Amino acid sequence: MVLIEVILVLIIVIALCLTNLIAFKISGKNKKKRIWAGIIVLLLSPLVLFLTGISLSPFDPGGFGTGMWMLIYSFLFAVNGIIIIIIGLFTKKSLNT
C-alpha cells in the first residue's frame, strides 16, 4: 500500500514539474504570455480533478481516499497556477513583446 502512495506522490510531483516547465518554456520572458499560462493552468484544475478521480477510483472501493487525492491534487494544481500568475505579474516587461 505504501508503494502505491509513493507512486501517486511521484506522479503528482512529476506532473506539476512538467506543467511548470511547459508554462515557462512557452511563455519565455514575456509578461503577458506568463500570466496567460498561469490562467490556463488555473482553468485546467477542474479537468485535473476529474481525471484524478477517474484514474484513482478503481483502486479505492470506498471512495474516501480518491476524494482526498482529488482535492489535494487539484488544490496543488490551482496553487501552481496562482503562483505562475504572481510570477508573471512581477516579471519585468520583456523587450521583444
Side-chain angles (χ1 to χ4, degrees), residues 4 7 16 18-19 28-29 33-35 37 43-44 46 49 51 54 57 68 76 78 80 82-83 86-87 89 92 97:
I4 293 174
I7 291 171
L16 287 174
L18 286 175
T19 304
K29 293 188 178 187
K33 285 184 180 179
R34 193 165 285 178
I35 292 171
L43 290 176
L44 286 176
L49 178 95
L51 291 175
I54 292 295
S57 61
M68 292 303 294
L76 289 175
N80 188 29
I82 292 170
I83 290 172
I86 291 172
I87 290 172
L89 290 174
K92 292 182 182 178
T97 53

Side-chain angles (χ1 to χ4, degrees), residues 31-53:
K31 184 175 184 171
K32 288 181 187 176
K33 285 184 180 179
R34 193 165 285 178
I35 292 171
W36 276 108
I39 291 171
I40 290 170
V41 169
L42 196 58
L43 290 176
L44 286 176
S45 294
L47 179 67
V48 168
L49 178 95
F50 177 72
L51 291 175
T52 304

Side-chain angles (χ1 to χ4, degrees), residues 3-4 8 10-12 14 19-20 23-24 26-27 29 34 41 46 53 59-60 67 72 82-83 88 92 94:
L3 181 64
I4 293 174
L8 291 175
L10 284 175
I11 290 172
I12 291 172
I14 290 170
T19 304
N20 283 335
F24 286 110
I26 290 175
S27 66
K29 293 188 178 187
R34 193 165 285 178
V41 169
F59 301 110
D60 186 21
I72 290 169
I82 292 170
I83 290 172
K92 292 182 182 178
S94 68

